[in-house]
Amino acid sequence: MKHKGTKTIETPRLVLRAFRLSDAEAAYKNWTADEKVTAFLTWPAHSDLSITKMIISDWVEQYKNPDYYQWAIVLKDIDEPIGSISVVDINEKCEMVTIGYCIGQKWWHQGVTSEAFKAVIDYLFETVEVNRIEAKHDTNNPNSGKVMKKCGLKYEGTLRQAGFNNHGIVDESIYGLLRSEWKR
C-alpha cells in the first residue's frame, strides 16, 4: 500500500475532508450526542461537547500519520460535518482496510453515506492501492449492510458473537470488495 493519509475528496453533494477543531459543535449537534446514531457503534453517545472536542483534537493530531484516514462528511448545502467515515483497521500484510462510518439520523436514507463510502473506496483503491476493503455491521442493523451492498461490497458471511458494540456481544455480518472486482 502507498499511504497518503486523509486527503480531501469531493462528490456531487459532499466534501470529505480532515476534521478541524472548529467542527466539534456541529459534530456534537449532528451525530455524536445522538443515542440512535451510536446504538450500533463501539462508543457511546457523547454526554457533553467537551468529549467531542477531545476526540476531534485527537483525530487532528493523528493526521500527521500517513496511514491515518478519518474524514468528516460535509454536506455542501450546509457546509458542516454531518458524519464521519474512516479506516478503522489496517492489515498491511493483506493490503486490507476495514471501513467504519456514521451519520446524523436527519440524513439517513438519502444516499449520503453510500456517496461518501463510494468516494472513499475509489480513493483507497486508486491512490492508496489497497487490495481489499471490508466492512462489518451488527446483524440487528441491516441498513448498514444495505450501504455496503450499494457500494459494491459482497456479503461474505456472519461471524457469530464476534463483535462488541453498545448492545454488548453481537453477531456481525461481513462484506468485502477486492481490487480486482472494483469498477473505476
Side-chain angles (χ1 to χ4, degrees):
M1 291 188 289
K2 297 178 181 175
H3 292 295
K4 305 288 183 183
T6 305
K7 301 294 183 199
T8 299
I9 305 168
E10 193 165 338
T11 73
R13 294 186 291 173
L14 309 171
V15 174
L16 307 178
R17 61 159 171 79
F19 276 91
R20 304 172 186 143
L21 295 175
S22 60
D23 291 329
E25 286 185 31
Y28 185 76
K29 173 186 76 168
N30 290 334
W31 80 93
T32 66
D34 189 332
E35 290 183 2
K36 283 190 174 182
V37 171
T38 62
F40 297 102
L41 300 179
T42 58
W43 50 272
H46 296 175
S47 58
D48 187 87
L49 176 59
S50 64
I51 298 168
T52 304
K53 286 180 177 179
M54 181 182 65
I55 298 294
I56 290 178
S57 177
D58 180 60
W59 292 346
V60 169
E61 180 66 23
Q62 293 294 324
Y63 286 129
K64 64 185 174 189
N65 301 321
D67 64 347
Y68 187 71
Y69 303 95
Q70 173 77 255
W71 288 273
I73 301 172
V74 178
L75 192 60
K76 289 179 181 177
D77 287 351
I78 60 172
D79 193 31
E80 66 182 41
I82 60 168
S84 67
I85 185 165
S86 61
V87 171
V88 296
D89 192 34
I90 297 175
N91 181 325
E92 293 284 351
K93 287 183 182 178
C94 294
E95 298 179 342
M96 176 178 76
V97 296
T98 305
I99 302 297
Y101 45 78
C102 61
I103 192 167
Q105 64 175 310
K106 182 177 175 181
W107 299 278
W108 290 356
H109 310 294
Q110 296 177 30
V112 174
T113 308
S114 299
E115 187 174 325
F117 195 5
K118 284 178 185 175
V120 167
I121 288 168
D122 290 346
Y123 174 77
L124 291 170
F125 280 136
E126 282 179 8
T127 305
V128 184
E129 298 182 16
V130 302
N131 181 56
R132 173 183 164 85
I133 295 172
E134 68 176 31
K136 302 171 190 170
H137 71 86
D138 181 330
T139 56
N140 292 309
N141 184 19
N143 288 326
S144 190
K146 288 177 184 175
V147 169
M148 295 168 197
K149 286 182 200 171
K150 189 174 178 180
C151 293
L153 281 74
K154 293 174 177 45
Y155 172 74
E156 296 179 340
T158 297
L159 307 172
R160 297 174 304 136
Q161 298 184 11
F164 188 86
N165 63 29
N166 289 319
H167 292 284
I169 298 172
V170 297
D171 294 349
E172 285 185 324
S173 291
I174 186 165
Y175 293 74
L177 181 63
L178 303 178
R179 182 181 181 85
S180 61
E181 299 166 330
W182 166 68
K183 295 180 178 116
R184 290 189 168 99

